[in-house]
Amino acid sequence: MDFDGFFKQRLDGLREAGNYRVFADLERKAGTFPNATRHINGEVKDITVWCSNDYLGMGQHPKVLDAMKEAIDKCGAGAGGTRNISGTNHYHVLLEQELADLHNKEDALLFTSGYVSNWTTLSTLGSKIPGCVIFSDALNHASMIEGIRHSKAERRIWKHNDVEDLDRQLSEYPADVPKIIAFESVYSMDGDIAPIKEICDVADKHGAMTYIDEVHAVGIYGSRGGGIAEREGLMDRISLIEGTLGKAFGVVGGYITGSKNLCDFVRSFGSGFIFTTALPPAAAAGACASIKHLKSSQVEREAHQERVATFRKKLDQAGIPHMMNSSHIVPVMVKNAAKCKFLSDLLLDNYGAYIQPINYPTVPEGTERLRITPTPLHTDEDMDQLVEALSNLWSQCALSRAVA
Protein backbone atom coordinates (compact mmCIF):
# COMPACT_ATOMS: atom_id res chain seq x y z
CA MET A 1 0.00 0.00 0.00
CA ASP A 2 1.14 3.53 -0.77
CA PHE A 3 0.69 4.83 2.77
CA ASP A 4 1.94 8.34 2.06
CA GLY A 5 -0.28 8.62 -1.01
CA PHE A 6 -3.25 7.55 1.09
CA PHE A 7 -2.48 10.19 3.70
CA LYS A 8 -2.19 12.89 1.00
CA GLN A 9 -5.45 11.86 -0.63
CA ARG A 10 -7.37 12.13 2.61
CA LEU A 11 -5.75 15.47 3.49
CA ASP A 12 -6.58 16.84 0.03
CA GLY A 13 -10.19 15.85 0.69
CA LEU A 14 -10.20 17.91 3.88
CA ARG A 15 -8.79 20.91 2.00
CA GLU A 16 -11.41 20.66 -0.75
CA ALA A 17 -14.20 20.52 1.82
CA GLY A 18 -12.83 23.50 3.73
CA ASN A 19 -12.23 21.36 6.83
CA TYR A 20 -8.43 21.28 6.80
CA ARG A 21 -7.09 22.67 10.05
CA VAL A 22 -4.36 25.31 9.91
CA PHE A 23 -2.70 26.32 13.17
CA ALA A 24 -1.65 29.94 13.41
CA ASP A 25 1.88 30.49 14.73
CA LEU A 26 1.15 32.81 17.65
CA GLU A 27 3.12 34.21 20.56
CA ARG A 28 1.13 35.48 23.52
CA LYS A 29 2.40 38.72 25.03
CA ALA A 30 2.77 38.55 28.81
CA GLY A 31 0.83 41.32 30.48
CA THR A 32 -1.02 42.50 27.37
CA PHE A 33 -3.54 39.69 26.70
CA PRO A 34 -5.54 39.46 24.40
CA ASN A 35 -2.76 40.91 22.25
CA ALA A 36 -0.37 38.50 20.60
CA THR A 37 2.25 38.28 17.86
CA ARG A 38 1.74 36.25 14.71
CA HIS A 39 4.70 34.70 12.92
CA ILE A 40 4.17 34.14 9.19
CA ASN A 41 6.59 33.86 6.27
CA GLY A 42 9.44 35.26 8.33
CA GLU A 43 7.42 38.31 9.40
CA VAL A 44 5.74 39.22 12.68
CA LYS A 45 2.40 40.97 12.99
CA ASP A 46 0.39 42.18 15.98
CA ILE A 47 -3.03 40.56 16.38
CA THR A 48 -5.91 40.35 18.85
CA VAL A 49 -7.01 36.91 20.05
CA TRP A 50 -10.79 36.40 20.12
CA CYS A 51 -11.18 32.66 20.62
CA SER A 52 -9.03 31.79 23.61
CA ASN A 53 -10.34 29.52 26.35
CA ASP A 54 -8.30 31.57 28.83
CA TYR A 55 -11.68 33.11 29.54
CA LEU A 56 -10.64 35.48 32.33
CA GLY A 57 -7.06 36.19 31.26
CA MET A 58 -5.73 34.39 34.35
CA GLY A 59 -2.87 33.02 32.29
CA GLN A 60 -1.42 36.52 32.54
CA HIS A 61 -2.31 37.29 36.14
CA PRO A 62 0.64 38.43 38.29
CA LYS A 63 -0.29 36.09 41.16
CA VAL A 64 -0.23 33.11 38.81
CA LEU A 65 3.05 34.09 37.17
CA ASP A 66 4.75 34.79 40.49
CA ALA A 67 3.64 31.42 41.90
CA MET A 68 4.98 29.58 38.88
CA LYS A 69 8.33 31.37 38.99
CA GLU A 70 8.68 30.63 42.69
CA ALA A 71 7.92 26.95 42.13
CA ILE A 72 10.52 26.69 39.36
CA ASP A 73 13.13 28.22 41.64
CA LYS A 74 12.21 25.73 44.38
CA CYS A 75 11.59 22.54 42.40
CA GLY A 76 12.96 22.95 38.89
CA ALA A 77 11.11 22.30 35.65
CA GLY A 78 9.49 18.86 35.63
CA ALA A 79 7.82 16.48 38.06
CA GLY A 80 10.39 13.77 37.35
CA GLY A 81 7.92 11.17 36.15
CA THR A 82 4.67 9.58 37.26
CA ARG A 83 3.47 10.17 40.81
CA ASN A 84 3.61 6.41 41.30
CA ILE A 85 7.36 6.31 40.50
CA SER A 86 8.67 9.76 41.37
CA GLY A 87 6.40 10.64 44.27
CA THR A 88 3.78 13.33 44.63
CA ASN A 89 5.19 16.82 44.64
CA HIS A 90 3.89 18.94 47.51
CA TYR A 91 2.38 21.40 45.01
CA HIS A 92 0.17 18.56 43.73
CA VAL A 93 -1.07 17.93 47.26
CA LEU A 94 -1.86 21.59 47.83
CA LEU A 95 -3.68 21.89 44.51
CA GLU A 96 -5.84 18.82 45.13
CA GLN A 97 -6.80 20.27 48.51
CA GLU A 98 -7.84 23.54 46.85
CA LEU A 99 -9.89 21.69 44.24
CA ALA A 100 -11.70 19.53 46.78
CA ASP A 101 -12.52 22.67 48.75
CA LEU A 102 -13.66 24.50 45.61
CA HIS A 103 -16.31 21.86 44.92
CA ASN A 104 -17.10 20.97 48.55
CA LYS A 105 -15.96 17.39 47.98
CA GLU A 106 -13.90 15.06 50.12
CA ASP A 107 -11.06 14.65 47.65
CA ALA A 108 -9.65 15.52 44.24
CA LEU A 109 -7.29 13.92 41.73
CA LEU A 110 -5.07 15.70 39.21
CA PHE A 111 -4.46 14.75 35.58
CA THR A 112 -2.34 16.23 32.80
CA SER A 113 -5.38 17.62 30.94
CA GLY A 114 -9.15 17.74 30.98
CA TYR A 115 -9.16 15.29 28.07
CA VAL A 116 -7.13 12.79 30.10
CA SER A 117 -9.26 13.23 33.23
CA ASN A 118 -12.47 12.51 31.29
CA TRP A 119 -11.00 9.66 29.27
CA THR A 120 -9.35 7.98 32.25
CA THR A 121 -12.19 8.36 34.71
CA LEU A 122 -15.04 7.26 32.47
CA SER A 123 -13.05 4.37 31.01
CA THR A 124 -12.05 3.24 34.52
CA LEU A 125 -15.54 3.47 36.02
CA GLY A 126 -17.19 1.86 33.01
CA SER A 127 -14.75 -1.04 32.84
CA LYS A 128 -14.38 -1.75 36.56
CA ILE A 129 -17.98 -1.45 37.79
CA PRO A 130 -19.61 -4.81 36.92
CA GLY A 131 -22.57 -4.49 34.56
CA CYS A 132 -22.33 -0.70 34.44
CA VAL A 133 -24.40 1.21 31.87
CA ILE A 134 -23.32 4.75 30.96
CA PHE A 135 -25.94 7.24 29.76
CA SER A 136 -24.18 9.91 27.71
CA ASP A 137 -25.61 13.21 26.48
CA ALA A 138 -25.62 13.32 22.68
CA LEU A 139 -23.35 16.38 22.58
CA ASN A 140 -20.74 15.26 25.10
CA HIS A 141 -17.10 16.12 24.39
CA ALA A 142 -14.88 13.74 22.43
CA SER A 143 -12.88 12.96 25.58
CA MET A 144 -16.01 11.67 27.31
CA ILE A 145 -17.09 9.70 24.25
CA GLU A 146 -13.66 8.08 23.91
CA GLY A 147 -13.52 7.22 27.60
CA ILE A 148 -16.94 5.57 27.47
CA ARG A 149 -16.08 3.70 24.28
CA HIS A 150 -12.78 2.46 25.69
CA SER A 151 -14.51 1.17 28.82
CA LYS A 152 -16.49 -1.29 26.69
CA ALA A 153 -19.41 -0.73 29.06
CA GLU A 154 -22.92 -0.67 27.64
CA ARG A 155 -23.67 2.89 26.59
CA ARG A 156 -26.87 4.73 25.82
CA ILE A 157 -27.01 8.11 24.10
CA TRP A 158 -29.81 10.38 25.28
CA LYS A 159 -31.07 13.40 23.37
CA HIS A 160 -29.17 16.55 24.20
CA ASN A 161 -30.46 18.12 27.44
CA ASP A 162 -33.68 16.07 27.10
CA VAL A 163 -34.48 14.92 30.62
CA GLU A 164 -37.61 13.05 29.52
CA ASP A 165 -35.57 10.95 27.08
CA LEU A 166 -33.00 10.29 29.79
CA ASP A 167 -35.72 9.18 32.22
CA ARG A 168 -37.28 6.93 29.58
CA GLN A 169 -33.98 5.20 28.81
CA LEU A 170 -33.08 4.74 32.46
CA SER A 171 -36.50 3.18 33.06
CA GLU A 172 -35.58 0.34 30.70
CA TYR A 173 -33.12 -1.06 33.24
CA PRO A 174 -33.73 -2.80 36.58
CA ALA A 175 -33.04 -0.82 39.75
CA ASP A 176 -30.01 -2.96 40.64
CA VAL A 177 -28.12 -2.18 37.39
CA PRO A 178 -25.27 0.31 38.07
CA LYS A 179 -25.92 3.46 36.06
CA ILE A 180 -23.80 6.57 35.35
CA ILE A 181 -25.24 9.74 33.79
CA ALA A 182 -22.47 11.66 32.01
CA PHE A 183 -23.09 15.22 30.85
CA GLU A 184 -21.59 18.70 30.67
CA SER A 185 -22.68 21.92 32.34
CA VAL A 186 -21.77 24.36 29.56
CA TYR A 187 -21.52 22.91 26.06
CA SER A 188 -18.61 24.63 24.39
CA MET A 189 -19.83 24.93 20.80
CA ASP A 190 -23.42 26.14 21.27
CA GLY A 191 -22.87 27.61 24.74
CA ASP A 192 -26.08 26.15 26.14
CA ILE A 193 -26.38 24.97 29.74
CA ALA A 194 -27.62 21.62 31.04
CA PRO A 195 -30.74 21.34 33.23
CA ILE A 196 -28.65 20.07 36.13
CA LYS A 197 -31.39 19.97 38.80
CA GLU A 198 -33.73 17.99 36.59
CA ILE A 199 -30.96 15.56 35.66
CA CYS A 200 -30.17 15.07 39.35
CA ASP A 201 -33.86 14.43 40.06
CA VAL A 202 -33.91 11.70 37.42
CA ALA A 203 -30.64 10.27 38.74
CA ASP A 204 -32.08 10.06 42.26
CA LYS A 205 -35.20 8.35 40.93
CA HIS A 206 -33.12 5.62 39.28
CA GLY A 207 -30.23 5.41 41.75
CA ALA A 208 -27.74 6.60 39.15
CA MET A 209 -24.33 8.19 39.65
CA THR A 210 -23.99 11.72 38.21
CA TYR A 211 -20.84 12.72 36.31
CA ILE A 212 -20.62 16.36 35.24
CA ASP A 213 -17.97 17.99 33.06
CA GLU A 214 -17.61 21.61 34.21
CA VAL A 215 -14.53 22.49 32.14
CA HIS A 216 -16.16 25.50 30.45
CA ALA A 217 -17.71 26.74 33.70
CA VAL A 218 -15.17 26.46 36.52
CA GLY A 219 -13.70 29.80 37.48
CA ILE A 220 -16.42 31.70 35.64
CA TYR A 221 -19.64 30.76 37.44
CA GLY A 222 -20.57 30.41 41.09
CA SER A 223 -19.69 32.65 44.02
CA ARG A 224 -16.22 31.06 44.26
CA GLY A 225 -15.80 29.85 40.69
CA GLY A 226 -17.05 26.33 41.33
CA GLY A 227 -19.08 26.28 38.10
CA ILE A 228 -22.75 26.07 37.17
CA ALA A 229 -23.43 23.44 39.82
CA GLU A 230 -22.16 25.83 42.49
CA ARG A 231 -24.13 28.74 41.06
CA GLU A 232 -27.32 26.67 41.24
CA GLY A 233 -26.55 25.18 44.65
CA LEU A 234 -26.32 21.63 43.31
CA MET A 235 -22.75 20.51 43.95
CA ASP A 236 -23.81 18.22 46.78
CA ARG A 237 -26.09 16.33 44.38
CA ILE A 238 -23.33 15.56 41.87
CA SER A 239 -21.34 12.37 42.47
CA LEU A 240 -18.30 13.45 40.45
CA ILE A 241 -17.31 16.90 39.20
CA GLU A 242 -14.66 17.02 36.48
CA GLY A 243 -12.88 20.20 35.50
CA THR A 244 -9.86 21.75 33.87
CA LEU A 245 -7.05 24.06 34.92
CA GLY A 246 -6.37 25.09 31.31
CA LYS A 247 -9.31 27.36 30.58
CA ALA A 248 -10.62 29.97 33.07
CA PHE A 249 -7.86 29.12 35.55
CA GLY A 250 -5.33 29.93 32.83
CA VAL A 251 -2.73 27.16 33.29
CA VAL A 252 -2.87 23.47 32.28
CA GLY A 253 -4.21 20.20 33.66
CA GLY A 254 -7.45 18.40 34.48
CA TYR A 255 -9.02 16.99 37.61
CA ILE A 256 -11.90 15.14 39.21
CA THR A 257 -13.48 15.73 42.60
CA GLY A 258 -15.73 13.48 44.62
CA SER A 259 -15.69 11.16 47.61
CA LYS A 260 -12.37 9.88 48.94
CA ASN A 261 -13.20 6.36 47.85
CA LEU A 262 -14.18 7.43 44.34
CA CYS A 263 -11.00 9.46 43.77
CA ASP A 264 -8.85 6.73 45.31
CA PHE A 265 -10.54 4.14 43.08
CA VAL A 266 -9.63 6.09 39.93
CA ARG A 267 -6.13 6.76 41.29
CA SER A 268 -5.64 3.04 41.93
CA PHE A 269 -7.13 1.61 38.72
CA GLY A 270 -6.95 4.38 36.10
CA SER A 271 -4.13 3.72 33.62
CA GLY A 272 -4.32 7.29 32.31
CA PHE A 273 -3.31 8.47 35.77
CA ILE A 274 -0.95 5.70 36.84
CA PHE A 275 1.26 5.69 33.73
CA THR A 276 1.34 9.42 32.88
CA THR A 277 4.06 11.87 33.95
CA ALA A 278 2.66 14.26 36.53
CA LEU A 279 2.05 17.97 36.00
CA PRO A 280 5.16 20.14 36.43
CA PRO A 281 5.23 21.63 39.94
CA ALA A 282 5.15 25.14 38.47
CA ALA A 283 1.89 24.39 36.65
CA ALA A 284 0.34 23.07 39.86
CA ALA A 285 1.52 26.12 41.79
CA GLY A 286 0.13 28.51 39.18
CA ALA A 287 -3.22 26.74 39.10
CA CYS A 288 -3.39 26.78 42.89
CA ALA A 289 -2.77 30.54 42.93
CA SER A 290 -5.42 31.09 40.26
CA ILE A 291 -8.05 29.07 42.13
CA LYS A 292 -7.31 30.81 45.43
CA HIS A 293 -7.64 34.21 43.80
CA LEU A 294 -10.90 33.43 42.02
CA LYS A 295 -12.45 31.95 45.15
CA SER A 296 -12.45 35.40 46.72
CA SER A 297 -12.42 37.82 43.78
CA GLN A 298 -15.61 38.69 41.89
CA VAL A 299 -13.93 41.36 39.75
CA GLU A 300 -12.98 39.06 36.89
CA ARG A 301 -16.34 37.28 36.73
CA GLU A 302 -18.39 40.49 36.85
CA ALA A 303 -16.24 42.15 34.17
CA HIS A 304 -16.48 39.03 32.04
CA GLN A 305 -20.28 38.99 32.11
CA GLU A 306 -20.43 42.69 31.24
CA ARG A 307 -18.03 42.29 28.31
CA VAL A 308 -19.98 39.35 26.86
CA ALA A 309 -23.28 41.26 27.10
CA THR A 310 -21.75 44.35 25.50
CA PHE A 311 -20.30 42.34 22.63
CA ARG A 312 -23.61 40.65 21.93
CA LYS A 313 -25.33 44.06 21.75
CA LYS A 314 -22.76 45.30 19.25
CA LEU A 315 -23.30 42.21 17.08
CA ASP A 316 -27.06 42.77 17.21
CA GLN A 317 -26.67 46.38 16.15
CA ALA A 318 -24.65 45.27 13.11
CA GLY A 319 -27.04 42.45 12.23
CA ILE A 320 -24.41 39.75 12.68
CA PRO A 321 -26.24 36.49 13.53
CA HIS A 322 -25.10 34.76 16.67
CA MET A 323 -26.55 31.86 18.60
CA MET A 324 -28.35 33.02 21.72
CA ASN A 325 -27.49 31.27 24.97
CA SER A 326 -27.03 32.15 28.63
CA SER A 327 -23.30 31.48 28.75
CA HIS A 328 -20.12 33.35 27.81
CA ILE A 329 -19.66 31.60 24.45
CA VAL A 330 -20.72 33.60 21.39
CA PRO A 331 -21.10 31.43 18.26
CA VAL A 332 -21.32 33.64 15.17
CA MET A 333 -23.11 31.44 12.65
CA VAL A 334 -21.76 31.14 9.09
CA LYS A 335 -23.26 27.74 8.16
CA ASN A 336 -20.81 27.07 5.36
CA ALA A 337 -17.41 25.41 5.84
CA ALA A 338 -15.57 27.12 2.98
CA LYS A 339 -16.94 30.57 3.86
CA CYS A 340 -16.18 30.03 7.54
CA LYS A 341 -12.55 29.26 6.76
CA PHE A 342 -12.43 32.17 4.29
CA LEU A 343 -13.79 34.60 6.88
CA SER A 344 -11.32 33.39 9.48
CA ASP A 345 -8.40 33.84 7.08
CA LEU A 346 -9.47 37.36 6.08
CA LEU A 347 -10.04 38.42 9.68
CA LEU A 348 -6.52 37.35 10.57
CA ASP A 349 -4.73 38.53 7.42
CA ASN A 350 -6.53 41.84 6.86
CA TYR A 351 -7.86 42.86 10.26
CA GLY A 352 -5.48 41.27 12.77
CA ALA A 353 -8.32 39.39 14.50
CA TYR A 354 -7.69 35.74 15.30
CA ILE A 355 -10.81 33.56 15.40
CA GLN A 356 -10.40 29.89 14.54
CA PRO A 357 -13.17 28.51 12.27
CA ILE A 358 -15.26 25.73 13.79
CA ASN A 359 -16.19 23.22 11.12
CA TYR A 360 -17.13 19.55 10.83
CA PRO A 361 -16.51 17.19 12.64
CA THR A 362 -16.38 19.50 15.68
CA VAL A 363 -19.89 20.69 14.76
CA PRO A 364 -22.44 19.17 12.36
CA GLU A 365 -22.24 20.15 8.68
CA GLY A 366 -24.34 23.22 8.00
CA THR A 367 -23.70 24.70 11.47
CA GLU A 368 -20.18 26.04 10.90
CA ARG A 369 -19.40 29.07 13.00
CA LEU A 370 -16.84 31.48 14.38
CA ARG A 371 -16.69 30.76 18.11
CA ILE A 372 -15.93 34.03 19.89
CA THR A 373 -15.06 34.30 23.58
CA PRO A 374 -14.85 37.90 24.83
CA THR A 375 -12.76 38.34 27.97
CA PRO A 376 -12.62 41.04 30.67
CA LEU A 377 -9.56 42.38 28.86
CA HIS A 378 -11.19 43.09 25.48
CA THR A 379 -11.89 46.82 25.24
CA ASP A 380 -14.78 48.64 23.54
CA GLU A 381 -12.31 49.64 20.82
CA ASP A 382 -11.36 46.00 20.29
CA MET A 383 -15.02 45.07 19.98
CA ASP A 384 -15.87 47.90 17.59
CA GLN A 385 -12.97 46.93 15.32
CA LEU A 386 -14.03 43.30 15.21
CA VAL A 387 -17.72 44.02 14.63
CA GLU A 388 -16.85 46.44 11.82
CA ALA A 389 -14.61 43.81 10.24
CA LEU A 390 -17.33 41.17 10.51
CA SER A 391 -19.88 43.56 9.01
CA ASN A 392 -17.62 44.30 6.04
CA LEU A 393 -16.91 40.63 5.42
CA TRP A 394 -20.58 39.70 5.85
CA SER A 395 -21.40 41.97 2.93
CA GLN A 396 -18.43 40.72 0.91
CA CYS A 397 -19.51 37.09 1.33
CA ALA A 398 -23.21 37.87 0.76
CA LEU A 399 -24.22 36.31 4.07
CA SER A 400 -27.63 36.87 5.61
CA ARG A 401 -27.91 39.36 8.43
CA ALA A 402 -29.98 38.98 11.55
CA VAL A 403 -33.25 40.90 11.68
CA ALA A 404 -33.49 43.17 14.72
Side-chain angles (χ1 to χ4, degrees):
M1 179 179 181
D2 179 7
F3 290 103
D4 209 54
F6 169 77
F7 301 148
K8 183 179 184 302
Q9 181 184 30
R10 294 299 300 270
L11 290 170
D12 287 344
L14 285 177
R15 292 185 180 95
E16 291 172 7
N19 291 328
Y20 182 73
R21 299 171 190 263
V22 178
F23 297 154
D25 184 353
L26 306 182
E27 185 178 342
R28 283 158 60 106
K29 294 182 178 180
T32 64
F33 181 79
N35 298 320
T37 298
R38 181 191 184 196
H39 295 262
I40 181 170
N41 299 326
E43 298 181 359
V44 294
K45 297 182 179 180
D46 291 333
I47 65 161
T48 302
V49 177
W50 279 100
C51 54
S52 174
N53 285 341
D54 186 359
Y55 295 130
L56 302 177
M58 290 302 294
Q60 307 287 322
H61 197 283
K63 289 183 180 179
V64 176
L65 302 184
D66 288 346
M68 295 184 76
K69 292 172 185 175
E70 180 183 348
I72 287 178
D73 290 340
K74 283 185 176 182
C75 300
T82 68
R83 290 169 67 173
N84 181 53
I85 296 295
S86 300
T88 289
N89 189 281
H90 188 56
Y91 285 107
H92 298 143
V93 175
L94 295 176
L95 177 53
E96 286 174 342
Q97 290 173 353
E98 285 293 334
L99 290 166
D101 175 77
L102 175 66
H103 294 293
N104 289 332
K105 298 296 184 184
E106 290 180 349
D107 208 352
L109 188 66
L110 284 174
F111 296 84
T112 51
S113 72
Y115 191 104
V116 175
S117 57
N118 268 331
W119 184 92
T120 301
T121 305
L122 284 166
S123 65
T124 301
L125 294 175
S127 63
K128 298 298 183 183
I129 300 174
C132 179
V133 181
I134 302 178
F135 297 79
S136 178
D137 185 283
L139 293 189
N140 275 344
H141 189 262
S143 59
M144 302 175 76
I145 295 169
E146 288 298 325
I148 296 168
R149 180 181 296 140
H150 186 263
S151 77
K152 294 184 171 59
E154 181 180 353
R155 61 185 182 273
R156 297 290 299 267
I157 311 301
W158 48 288
K159 295 176 184 177
H160 177 55
N161 281 347
D162 188 333
V163 179
E164 290 184 3
D165 186 52
L166 173 62
D167 185 29
R168 178 187 63 78
Q169 294 197 38
L170 283 161
S171 298
E172 297 175 11
Y173 293 82
D176 60 350
V177 171
K179 309 170 188 72
I180 299 175
I181 301 171
F183 63 105
E184 301 181 40
S185 59
V186 177
Y187 288 83
S188 63
M189 290 299 111
D190 289 353
D192 55 334
I193 294 175
I196 301 175
K197 179 184 180 300
E198 290 78 7
I199 292 172
C200 289
D201 290 342
V202 170
D204 291 345
K205 174 182 175 182
H206 296 278
M209 175 190 221
T210 45
Y211 181 116
I212 189 170
D213 175 319
E214 287 257 39
V215 298
H216 291 280
V218 290
I220 309 173
Y221 301 99
S223 61
R224 300 197 309 157
I228 299 294
E230 184 196 25
R231 185 187 73 178
E232 299 182 5
L234 297 169
M235 288 196 296
D236 62 315
R237 300 188 65 188
I238 304 292
S239 310
L240 186 153
I241 298 175
E242 185 268 349
T244 184
L245 306 168
K247 293 182 171 59
F249 291 130
V251 192
V252 67
Y255 64 89
I256 61 169
T257 64
S259 71
K260 283 190 177 296
N261 285 333
L262 191 160
C263 292
D264 197 16
F265 183 84
V266 176
R267 182 190 70 85
S268 299
F269 293 102
S271 62
F273 173 83
I274 296 169
F275 299 107
T276 300
T277 297
L279 282 177
C288 200
S290 182
I291 294 165
K292 283 183 177 179
H293 175 78
L294 290 174
K295 280 180 178 177
S296 60
S297 174
Q298 302 300 325
V299 173
E300 291 81 8
R301 283 189 283 275
E302 290 173 357
H304 186 227
Q305 293 169 10
E306 182 276 323
R307 290 286 79 192
V308 171
T310 297
F311 183 66
R312 286 186 182 277
K313 289 179 182 178
K314 290 179 181 293
L315 289 176
D316 289 338
Q317 291 168 356
I320 304 299
H322 58 97
M323 187 179 292
M324 295 305 298
N325 57 54
S326 57
S327 76
H328 57 286
I329 295 167
V330 185
V332 170
M333 305 307 292
V334 181
K335 301 182 180 181
N336 178 285
K339 287 185 177 181
C340 195
K341 177 67 167 62
F342 181 66
L343 284 170
S344 174
D345 290 343
L346 289 181
L347 283 168
L348 185 57
D349 292 338
N350 297 346
Y351 296 94
Y354 174 60
I355 309 172
Q356 188 73 357
I358 306 296
N359 292 340
Y360 178 83
T362 305
V363 294
E365 292 180 346
T367 69
E368 294 82 5
R369 78 281 306 266
L370 298 171
R371 177 183 178 275
I372 301 175
T373 53
T375 73
L377 302 176
H378 284 97
T379 66
D380 282 344
E381 183 181 4
D382 292 332
M383 293 183 182
D384 289 340
Q385 290 174 352
L386 177 59
V387 171
E388 182 179 2
L390 285 170
S391 184
N392 292 339
L393 294 175
W394 230 252
S395 298
Q396 183 177 333
C397 293
L399 293 169
S400 299
R401 293 184 184 260
V403 178

